[in-house]
Amino acid sequence: MPEQIEVTLARDWDWEFEVRRTLAAPHELTTVLEPVNSCHSAQLMAIEGLTRSPRVGSKELFARASALGLDVTLELCTLNRLLQRFAAEETEVRLSVNVSPSIVGSTAVQDLFAPWCDRLIIEISEENIVRDPRVLAEAVAPLRAEGAEIALDNAGVGYGGLSMLVALEPEWVKIDRRLVGTTLTSGTSRSIVRNLSTMTHRIGSRVIGVGVEEEAQLEFLIDSDVDCWQGYLEQPFAIHRRAGAIAATLREHPIPPTASFVIQLADSASLAVGQWIRRGVTSLDDVARVTDGCYEVGWVKFRDLVGVARSN
């Protein structure tokens, strides 16, 4: 297990300032496009769009925004940022985005998604409490009519269960990473994944296993007839190639003491510390604060690198 390094914030962090700062400068949000791969070929099936703040965790940021009554504004801001990033991508696959059930039927979301519906997968999480899934199905109906597809996220661990599945009749069902991550150690998890795959196919939907980190997990999903997978799993050569790209960038462009990169969370001590502390960054606080005027090299986890050696 690689050593994990986490930048923590002081308890007296000014959260209202942080939320309003994010809303005022959404370009500071890092966008991550995570591939959704076929289990049975090398085909890319879709990409999931995620946003990261360079200073704080996304869940905490949204929780604080909710307490301030700014959660809807923040969610619309992040969705717009993802669509801007997606517009710059040369891809024919769909973009999958997470949307809260409480706003998916709002005029603001409908207007934002209108030009993109036939390129979108709208993810609704089982972890959200939905009092009447039939009302939710009616809320997403206009988007589906324009070509959007629906995915039931976090399947197998949330509140909605079968009632959400019946009401939404989603095109995709995403098996939660907590189930996928324990398939190698838990017979119960294996049984649930197999049954979810079988049941999903019988209603005409496709299945995605989320959080795949080991070859054995992927092999199990293939044996269970799961259609697609997403996660941090990469062939060793791909990981080494990425690490080599970072090292080459550092050699070609030495980082001055006043400029380096932004990091929130890393699980490779040798890269997060070795490469950077040797260049004058002496503490994790320094690592969190420093910004780079020439290159943006930031990641939430080492295996989720974004913007490597990207010129501004």
Side-chain angles (χ1 to χ4, degrees), residues 78-204:
T78 58
L79 289 171
N80 187 56
R81 179 86 169 111
L82 286 172
L83 290 173
Q84 290 174 350
R85 168 72 187 277
F86 185 59
E89 296 294 315
E90 295 182 0
T91 180
E92 296 181 357
V93 300
R94 289 177 181 256
L95 173 69
S96 187
V97 292
N98 291 273
V99 185
S100 299
S102 59
I103 72 165
V104 71
S106 67
T107 301
V109 169
Q110 304 269 339
D111 290 347
L112 179 64
F113 285 171
W116 299 94
C117 278
D118 61 350
R119 303 290 312 280
L120 290 179
I121 299 172
I122 299 171
E123 296 189 22
I124 305 294
S125 174
E126 267 197 14
E127 292 192 318
N128 295 112
I129 298 176
V130 177
R131 297 188 182 279
D132 190 343
R134 293 171 298 180
V135 174
L136 177 59
E138 292 174 0
V140 300
L143 297 171
R144 297 183 95 164
E146 295 300 320
E149 295 182 349
I150 303 298
L152 183 60
D153 197 14
N154 305 113
V157 300
Y159 300 101
L162 297 179
S163 61
M164 288 273 281
L165 194 63
V166 170
L168 289 177
E169 296 183 348
E171 285 80 7
W172 303 84
V173 172
K174 303 185 71 172
I175 300 177
D176 189 81
R177 65 178 62 248
R178 284 163 285 187
L179 286 173
V180 173
T182 53
T183 52
L184 302 184
T185 58
S186 169
T188 301
S189 292
R190 290 192 293 273
S191 295
I192 293 174
V193 169
R194 289 193 187 101
N195 289 331
L196 279 172
S197 178
T198 300
M199 178 177 62
T200 299
H201 287 142
R202 286 180 175 174
I203 64 172

Side-chain angles (χ1 to χ4, degrees), residues 32-50 91 93-98 121 123 149 151 153 171-175 177 206-212 218 221 226-233:
V32 179
L33 300 181
E34 183 170 291
V36 178
N37 306 290
S38 169
C39 284
H40 307 289
S41 70
Q43 184 178 0
L44 178 68
M45 303 298 291
I47 50 179
E48 180 175 359
L50 305 167
T91 180
V93 300
R94 289 177 181 256
L95 173 69
S96 187
V97 292
N98 291 273
I121 299 172
E123 296 189 22
E149 295 182 349
D153 197 14
E171 285 80 7
W172 303 84
V173 172
K174 303 185 71 172
I175 300 177
R177 65 178 62 248
R206 285 177 285 182
V207 193
I208 303 171
V210 179
V212 179
L218 179 55
L221 293 181
V226 171
D227 300 288
C228 305
W229 68 276
Q230 67 181 101
Y232 298 133
L233 175 65

Side-chain angles (χ1 to χ4, degrees), residues 243-279:
I246 296 175
T249 299
L250 295 178
R251 285 193 298 270
E252 295 173 7
H253 303 274
I255 295 176
T258 57
S260 71
F261 72 115
V262 177
I263 181 171
Q264 181 182 328
L265 182 68
D267 62 3
S268 172
S270 60
L271 281 176
V273 179
Q275 295 285 4
W276 305 105
I277 288 183
R278 286 198 294 271
R279 286 165 172 79

